[in-house]
Amino acid sequence: MAGSPKHIIVVGGGTAGSVLAARLTASSELDVTVIEAGADDSTYGDAILDPALAAGSWSGVAPMHAVPMTYGDGAIAGLQARILGGTSALNGMATLRGLPDDYDEWAARGLDGWGWNDVLDTFIAAETDRDFPGSPIHGDAGPLPVRRWRDDELAPAARSFRDAVIALGDATVTDINDPAQLPGVGVFPVTIDEHDRRVSTSLAYLTAEVRARPNLTIRTRSRVEDLLVDDGRIVGVRLAGGAEVTADEVVVTAGALWTPWLLLRAGIGPAEHLADQGISLLADLPVGSTMAGSSRARAVLHAPRAAGERGRPGPGRAVWGVERRRGGLSRLPGHAAGRRW
């Protein structure tokens, strides 16, 4: 007689958690519980599918949680989405790959399986790129639909920005995710379907078929506050309110901010820092110490409404510049789009 399925808790049903839940539950030998602090994205109805409702437009409506962080000598609040699908349900839908040198550097430092040629296979498997079918660097059968804004869809300010950069001598890039075309300037790819609807990882991976699997349980509006430790290993989670859920394994995919927060509370982190906070040490690891963000100054252009235009604006249409810096390639945002009235 076969044994009971292995129970796995996935903490966070966001960008990574949704993908992980779909893949794990493909095996009948695994029983998966996804615990998400926010609501199911379906709660918002068709509104969540509107590409125009990027994170800024959801202010006051979307469940954005502020996580306190130390930056230099000061304190800042890092914003994190609390909704099934995570930030992919609320952001600008850009699907930008990292640069090959970055991945190859990780592999050279000992992170096996993370070289450019390794991760490229994953990128290809994840997407259906409608602009480049049959391309050796793009997929045509993945769950995430990808396309680029057409020239006639660009906001006038975005189009002007692109044309000005090209006039200054930069190359035109038709595929910003093709390293062979960089550096240059082009329109970034977005995850929207053939009906111009936003596709988050929740919508792409947690389909009706996946949700119907008997070995998948999704608990929304349930915030994990602690990881349970027994005899030196994580055996479950404690929710806000005190309820506990145990499992054979716990996978923490709670985002770049909440994940290290939970690990540190459980005693997984730099020993000296944990001692300063009065937390018992479980594992001396550099959790959070090498975290890097993309701090930047941002200029938002508010374009006047054209004569005869009514209703709310359409999706922000943006371009992306890529330039050489310090011998390598660096992406520079060219957000000249995003009309707002």
Side-chain angles (χ1 to χ4, degrees):
M1 180 181 295
S4 300
K6 182 178 183 179
H7 185 208
I8 299 176
I9 291 175
V10 176
V11 180
T15 300
S18 295
V19 178
L20 190 61
R23 291 182 175 176
L24 290 175
T25 53
S27 170
S28 60
E29 297 181 358
L30 301 176
D31 185 62
V32 178
T33 300
V34 177
I35 302 179
E36 166 58 41
D40 194 317
D41 49 356
S42 63
T43 302
Y44 296 94
D46 290 343
I48 200 71
L49 305 177
D50 190 342
L53 297 178
S57 304
W58 277 91
S59 57
V61 179
M64 300 295 287
H65 176 73
V67 180
M69 303 171 62
T70 300
Y71 188 81
D73 295 329
I76 61 174
L79 291 179
Q80 188 168 28
R82 281 192 170 174
I83 185 173
L84 205 62
T87 309
S88 72
L90 305 172
N91 62 11
M93 300 159 294
T95 174
L96 292 166
R97 300 172 180 177
L99 298 169
D101 288 350
D102 292 334
Y103 295 104
D104 288 339
E105 182 182 350
W106 292 348
R109 292 187 177 187
L111 197 57
D112 293 337
W114 280 85
W116 170 249
N117 290 329
D118 301 312
V119 298
L120 180 58
D121 291 338
T122 300
F123 291 145
I124 292 172
E127 68 178 14
T128 293
D129 194 314
R130 303 207 307 275
D131 295 328
F132 296 99
S135 166
I137 63 170
H138 288 295
D140 56 12
L144 287 170
V146 175
R147 80 168 180 90
R148 292 140 192 87
W149 300 123
R150 299 186 306 271
D151 193 73
D152 63 319
E153 293 177 311
L154 291 177
R159 190 161 49 244
S160 296
F161 170 83
R162 179 203 59 194
D163 294 345
V165 174
I166 292 172
L168 290 172
D170 276 36
T172 300
V173 176
T174 58
D175 180 11
I176 210 78
N177 279 332
D178 182 358
Q181 295 191 34
L182 305 179
V185 62
V187 180
F188 63 63
V190 288
T191 51
I192 59 174
D193 65 15
E194 66 274 17
H195 304 294
D196 282 354
R197 297 177 302 195
R198 169 193 300 276
V199 179
S200 66
T201 58
S202 169
L203 294 172
Y205 287 88
L206 296 181
T207 61
E209 179 183 1
V210 171
R211 289 180 181 233
R213 290 173 179 169
N215 58 337
L216 173 62
T217 300
I218 300 176
R219 296 182 58 162
T220 55
R221 302 187 186 277
S222 300
R223 188 176 76 253
V224 173
E225 289 199 336
D226 285 296
L227 303 178
L228 301 178
V229 180
D230 181 38
D231 195 25
R233 63 183 300 270
I234 305 298
V235 296
V237 299
R238 180 178 295 109
L239 307 180
E244 296 182 353
V245 185
T246 59
D248 298 299
E249 285 190 19
V250 177
V251 183
V252 184
T253 56
L257 303 179
W258 206 252
T259 294
W261 188 87
L262 285 171
L263 294 176
L264 291 168
R265 280 178 63 91
I268 303 172
E272 183 176 354
H273 174 68
L274 294 175
D276 290 342
Q277 301 299 317
I279 299 174
S280 299
L281 180 67
L282 181 62
D284 184 7
L285 295 171
V287 172
S289 61
T290 58
M291 181 177 175
S294 54
S295 301
R296 62 181 181 267
R298 185 176 184 185
V300 179
L301 304 181
H302 296 268
R305 185 189 298 229
E309 283 189 308
R310 295 182 178 181
R312 58 174 174 73
R317 320 295 197 185
V319 295
W320 202 269
V322 182
E323 70 166 18
R324 291 194 180 278
R325 179 184 299 173
R326 296 178 184 173
L329 290 169
S330 298
R331 298 191 191 278
L332 293 179
H335 289 282
R339 296 179 296 170
R340 189 179 302 166
W341 291 272

